[in-house]
Amino acid sequence: MTIYDIAKLAGVSASSVSRVINDKPGVNPETRRKIKALLEDNNYVPNDIARGLVTRNSRLVGILVPEAYSIHLMEGAYHITGRLSEVNYGTVIIKTGCTPSECAEGIRSIGERNVDAVVLMGSRYANEKVAGAIRQFMEKKPVFVLNGEITGPNVYSVISDESGGVCSCVNFLAGKGRRRIVYISDAMDRPSSFQKRQGFLRGARAAGICGEEDPESLIYEGRNNDIDSGEEIMERILQEHPDTNGLICATDMLACGAVRTLHRKGIRIPDRISVIGVDNSSFALACYPKLTSLNNMILESGDEIASKLIASLEGRKPGASKIMLLTEIVEREST
Amino acid sequence: MTIYDIAKLAGVSASSVSRVINDKPGVNPETRRKIKALLEDNNYVPNDIARGLVTRNSRLVGILVPEAYSIHLMEGAYHITGRLSEVNYGTVIIKTGCTPSECAEGIRSIGERNVDAVVLMGSRYANEKVAGAIRQFMEKKPVFVLNGEITGPNVYSVISDESGGVCSCVNFLAGKGRRRIVYISDAMDRPSSFQKRQGFLRGARAAGICGEEDPESLIYEGRNNDIDSGEEIMERILQEHPDTNGLICATDMLACGAVRTLHRKGIRIPDRISVIGVDNSSFALACYPKLTSLNNMILESGDEIASKLIASLEGRKPGASKIMLLTEIVEREST
DNA sequence: TTGTAGGCGTTATCAC
DNA sequence: GTGATAACGCCTACAA
């Protein structure tokens, strides 16, 4: 069912039908009614492809998500999808590999999809390879990166102050009298991990909890970012330093794992040790006790991006090209 | 950069360029090399929109997800996305409302996107309104529904035997000597909830755990499907029947909540009470103790759908129009 | 082996 | 107020 079919049925030209479909003026009210009825009766749906060919936009936004399993990022993508659905934009979500080359390849592949804009989920995309791919394949289209920083004329970055956040977590625990505070890092394969780690070092020095000791020695890093990994590392921590009474984990998942070990050993939380996670995810709630967690504002960042995106898509100015959201500690039962 | 631009640069016609791009025969090896080089140098990317207009397919699959917050379904969508990415198909994920009308509206809106096929995530879409919308707006395109049953010439349903699964959970607990087994249902606003509930009733009768009592009295239903809700209901259950020693929850999330209450009351799991969740999600792992959970095969269903989808897209037969996956209890620490 | 012409469904630009 | 007509970028007969 094309506009020509409808036109024939109505005894008018395709142009008139097109005008009715797009609510454009210049068509007799009577004719308009008639065409509208016909459209309805034949449940005509416009062919967005053909439309896109001439209007040069697809009402589609590409979202790249790294395949390294992160529910949290996917939730963010889902959130953005919701916001865009409201204004009748669809999202094409594509999984990419995690290496810089694979990320860059993702840019290229999404480029072929003729999306109107692109969102990069996570700091993993903040690297030179990706920046280059953007220059090559996304020259004219706006690119938004969530929790990562890329520089370019058409690139907008929304990051959250994870470094400052983790730093304040140390301070928070120190304020509760915790003297031996350790940090479980996630895999150091992306900027965000470094940020958090740096934040811990800064906080540890500022709080003066390491004395003569090198604060680096308070950092542990597991094989993976999952619950089992957190469990293992916690085991090691307790073995090496049974006096540990403050714990900050780079993700809620790692924290869940650590908490398991503490349960098993009968170490009470937060009486004997306080635990803080990062992400403020559903895992923080599923954990017992409910985890105090650093809200790194993934959802809020998604909102910011959605707003900028919609503004940009509608021809308005998206605003500042780099913004940072402040994080906040959401206190629950584990501290 | 269009094929015409490349053609001009190479001093040939657009058709030759097109032939090279699509790896079609009938072009001088020398010319082919030259064109290929040009394509590369100008990092030409084909306009999928224009291509779609003539080939009448978009290499895009629509996925409808209900906005009722369900990480689990989104993970499934993500999973399918991954599978389709491998064969260079993109997915357009659209959130829809939860009422039958809103779901049907989603079908219409995805219809405008000229996707090659549609996937409906969850049993919420299994209703007559949606079936009607499919007949109207998706007449020619294959529709796949995950964990829900819709009948139609172009509709393929993959469901999982949640009813049988929950039934066997009752049996499983009864086999462990649990005599008072209760069920916490999720909101009864979709077929899947009914299935699970029915399964419980069937299991309760078969196991003979209700005696003269009406097994309906063993069913509790909370306001929401979240952790807090599970916590509240568990509280009530213990008040009304402190002798409860077996618990089946319609979702892992509800189970997490229930476990919280048990912790608080100092009731040991599984010593005093065994707990089983449904979904076999990450929440089951985040919980302490790790939850025994009924794997309702969402991911596996996604795989089935992806396979059928790809087959169908490539012109092969997708196979049976309705299949059911058997569920299985994944035993962990809570039973 | 190569090029020409027509068409995919829509919108935009003119005449009328 | 209405209707031809030409794009949009690509593919595919068919002709050369």
Side-chain angles (χ1 to χ4, degrees):
Chain A
M1 198 43 73
T2 76
I3 52 173
Y4 278 95
D5 299 324
I6 301 288
K8 197 171 292 173
L9 258 39
V12 299
S13 80
S15 325
S16 292
V17 179
S18 175
R19 279 191 272 264
V20 170
I21 292 170
N22 297 290
D23 275 323
K24 298 232 165 150
V27 42
N28 188 301
E30 192 50 38
T31 323
R32 187 182 293 269
R33 271 204 331 96
K34 189 162 136 197
I35 295 177
K36 264 206 170 126
L38 249 9
L39 252 16
E40 189 76 22
D41 293 350
N42 296 276
N43 45 59
Y44 163 88
V45 293
N47 183 330
D48 254 0
I49 295 195
R51 178 180 280 170
L53 190 56
V54 29
T55 63
R56 330 190 59 75
N57 71 281
S58 56
R59 293 197 82 78
L60 240 34
V61 172
I63 303 186
L64 261 44
V65 184
E67 70 185 350
Y69 194 56
S70 163
I71 300 186
H72 201 219
L73 248 30
M74 198 57 191
E75 284 188 54
Y78 186 49
H79 190 71
I80 293 176
T81 293
R83 289 288 312 276
L84 292 177
S85 292
E86 290 167 11
V87 290
N88 204 24
Y89 267 84
T91 53
V92 177
I93 299 187
I94 290 191
K95 266 189 186 185
T96 74
C98 291
T99 68
S101 313
E102 287 170 325
C103 291
E105 170 56 27
I107 300 282
R108 185 205 150 80
S109 108
I110 196 74
E112 291 190 20
R113 296 237 158 252
N114 293 97
V115 293
D116 296 344
V118 170
V119 179
L120 274 24
M121 299 296 293
S123 69
R124 214 176 277 276
Y125 293 97
N127 63 61
E128 200 31 63
K129 274 244 170 68
V130 170
I134 291 175
R135 283 192 293 273
Q136 261 191 55
F137 304 110
M138 282 287 146
E139 203 190 336
K140 298 270 114 199
K141 290 169 188 167
V143 175
F144 300 84
V145 20
L146 185 143
N147 204 24
E149 197 180 336
I150 298 182
T151 301
N154 54 335
V155 186
Y156 298 86
S157 303
V158 174
I159 59 179
S160 72
D161 185 19
E162 292 186 309
S163 174
V166 173
C167 178
S168 67
C169 286
V170 180
N171 190 51
F172 179 83
L173 291 182
K176 293 200 176 253
R178 305 304 174 166
R179 300 316 293 166
R180 181 167 181 94
I181 303 169
V182 303
Y183 176 69
I184 299 182
S185 170
D186 47 3
M188 300 287 285
D189 57 355
R190 57 193 192 288
S192 166
S193 312
F194 279 91
Q195 290 297 322
K196 290 184 277 192
R197 187 193 155 101
Q198 287 307 317
F200 175 77
L201 289 175
R202 199 148 44 85
R205 290 201 189 93
I209 53 166
C210 25
E212 297 303 292
E213 205 180 347
D214 182 1
E216 294 272 355
S217 68
L218 300 172
I219 296 179
Y220 293 77
E221 185 182 337
R223 292 172 298 101
N224 291 306
N225 294 335
D226 56 15
I227 293 177
D228 288 345
S229 215
E231 203 167 339
E232 288 171 23
I233 303 172
M234 191 68 229
E235 201 111 28
R236 211 175 82 218
I237 292 174
L238 290 176
Q239 240 158 29
E240 297 179 6
H241 291 280
D243 58 327
T244 301
N245 55 10
L247 171 67
I248 299 170
C249 297
T251 68
D252 288 337
M253 263 210 169
L254 285 170
C256 276
V259 164
R260 282 182 56 75
T261 293
L262 294 170
H263 271 303
R264 254 207 340 273
K265 306 257 181 199
I267 299 176
R268 310 203 39 174
I269 308 167
D271 304 351
R272 269 260 329 262
I273 180 168
S274 292
V275 181
I276 301 187
V278 173
D279 277 352
N280 194 37
S281 62
S282 319
F283 290 109
L285 268 30
C287 199
Y288 185 85
K290 285 186 183 170
L291 285 178
T292 292
S293 184
L294 182 71
N295 183 0
N296 52 6
M297 302 287 172
I298 295 293
L299 260 34
E300 290 79 359
S301 297
D303 275 329
E304 283 299 326
I305 284 182
S307 300
K308 283 174 179 295
L309 198 40
I310 293 169
S312 156
L313 258 17
E314 292 178 345
R316 305 196 311 273
K317 287 226 172 280
S321 69
K322 292 190 186 180
I323 65 175
M324 174 183 273
L325 266 44
L326 296 186
T327 55
E328 64 187 19
I329 298 173
V330 180
E331 194 168 4
R332 298 206 181 83
E333 306 161 350
S334 68
T335 51
Chain B
M1 198 43 74
T2 75
I3 53 174
Y4 281 95
D5 298 325
I6 302 288
K8 198 171 294 173
L9 257 40
V12 299
S13 82
S15 352
S16 291
V17 180
S18 173
R19 279 190 272 265
V20 171
I21 292 170
N22 296 292
D23 274 322
K24 299 237 164 151
V27 41
N28 188 300
E30 191 50 37
T31 322
R32 188 183 293 269
R33 272 205 329 97
K34 188 162 138 197
I35 295 177
K36 266 208 168 121
L38 248 10
L39 252 16
E40 189 75 22
D41 293 350
N42 296 277
N43 45 59
Y44 163 88
V45 294
N47 183 331
D48 255 1
I49 295 194
R51 177 180 281 171
L53 191 55
V54 29
T55 63
R56 331 192 57 76
N57 70 282
S58 56
R59 292 198 84 78
L60 240 35
V61 172
I63 303 187
L64 261 45
V65 184
E67 70 185 349
Y69 193 56
S70 164
I71 300 184
H72 202 218
L73 248 28
M74 197 59 191
E75 284 186 55
Y78 186 50
H79 189 71
I80 294 177
T81 294
R83 288 289 311 275
L84 292 177
S85 292
E86 290 166 11
V87 290
N88 203 24
Y89 267 83
T91 53
V92 178
I93 300 188
I94 290 191
K95 265 191 187 185
T96 74
C98 291
T99 68
S101 313
E102 287 171 325
C103 290
E105 170 57 27
I107 301 282
R108 185 205 149 79
S109 107
I110 197 74
E112 292 191 20
R113 297 236 157 252
N114 292 97
V115 292
D116 296 344
V118 170
V119 179
L120 274 23
M121 299 296 293
S123 69
R124 215 176 275 278
Y125 293 97
N127 63 62
E128 200 31 63
K129 274 244 172 67
V130 169
I134 290 175
R135 283 191 293 272
Q136 263 190 55
F137 304 110
M138 281 287 147
E139 204 189 335
K140 296 272 115 199
K141 290 168 188 167
V143 175
F144 300 84
V145 21
L146 184 143
N147 203 24
E149 196 180 337
I150 297 182
T151 301
N154 54 334
V155 186
Y156 298 86
S157 303
V158 175
I159 60 180
S160 72
D161 185 19
E162 292 186 307
S163 175
V166 173
C167 178
S168 66
C169 287
V170 180
N171 190 51
F172 179 83
L173 292 182
K176 292 201 177 253
R178 305 305 174 166
R179 299 317 293 168
R180 182 168 181 93
I181 302 170
V182 304
Y183 176 68
I184 299 182
S185 170
D186 47 3
M188 300 287 285
D189 57 355
R190 58 195 192 286
S192 165
S193 312
F194 279 91
Q195 291 297 322
K196 290 184 277 193
R197 186 192 157 101
Q198 288 306 316
F200 175 76
L201 290 175
R202 199 148 44 85
R205 291 200 188 93
I209 53 166
C210 25
E212 297 303 292
E213 206 180 346
D214 181 1
E216 294 272 357
S217 67
L218 300 172
I219 296 180
Y220 293 77
E221 185 182 337
R223 293 172 298 101
N224 292 305
N225 294 336
D226 57 15
I227 293 177
D228 288 345
S229 217
E231 202 168 340
E232 287 171 23
I233 303 172
M234 192 67 229
E235 201 111 28
R236 213 176 81 219
I237 292 173
L238 290 176
Q239 240 157 30
E240 298 178 6
H241 291 280
D243 59 327
T244 300
N245 55 10
L247 171 67
I248 299 170
C249 297
T251 69
D252 288 336
M253 263 212 167
L254 286 170
C256 277
V259 164
R260 283 183 56 76
T261 293
L262 294 170
H263 271 304
R264 255 208 339 274
K265 307 259 182 198
I267 298 175
R268 311 203 37 175
I269 308 167
D271 304 351
R272 269 258 331 259
I273 180 169
S274 293
V275 181
I276 301 188
V278 173
D279 276 354
N280 195 37
S281 61
S282 321
F283 289 109
L285 268 30
C287 199
Y288 186 85
K290 285 186 182 168
L291 285 178
T292 291
S293 185
L294 182 71
N295 182 0
N296 52 6
M297 304 287 173
I298 295 292
L299 260 34
E300 290 79 359
S301 296
D303 275 328
E304 282 300 324
I305 285 182
S307 301
K308 283 173 178 294
L309 199 40
I310 293 168
S312 157
L313 258 19
E314 292 177 345
R316 306 197 311 274
K317 289 225 172 280
S321 69
K322 292 190 186 179
I323 66 175
M324 173 184 273
L325 266 45
L326 296 185
T327 55
E328 64 187 19
I329 298 173
V330 179
E331 193 167 5
R332 298 205 181 82
E333 306 160 348
S334 67
T335 50

